[in-house]
Amino acid sequence: MNRKLKAKITSSVLLCTMLTYTSPIFAYTKEETVYTKVDNSRKRI
């Protein structure tokens, strides 16, 4: 194989690897709701 073909294959493999590992980060979105109990009987100083 010549040098240019090796460079194209290497860059293609690296690009596919990077896209495979970063795509799950963008695929998941999560919403959550947090409920708390507030104690209003305590006095503030």
Side-chain angles (χ1 to χ4, degrees), residues 9-44:
I9 292 173
T10 303
S11 64
S12 298
V13 169
L14 288 174
L15 179 64
C16 290
T17 303
M18 287 172 42
L19 290 175
T20 302
Y21 284 114
T22 58
S23 64
I25 295 172
F26 300 115
Y28 299 113
T29 58
K30 183 178 178 182
E31 290 185 30
E32 68 180 58
T33 305
V34 179
Y35 297 99
T36 61
K37 292 184 178 183
V38 179
D39 185 11
N40 287 332
S41 64
R42 297 177 72 185
K43 293 182 180 180
R44 290 187 181 185

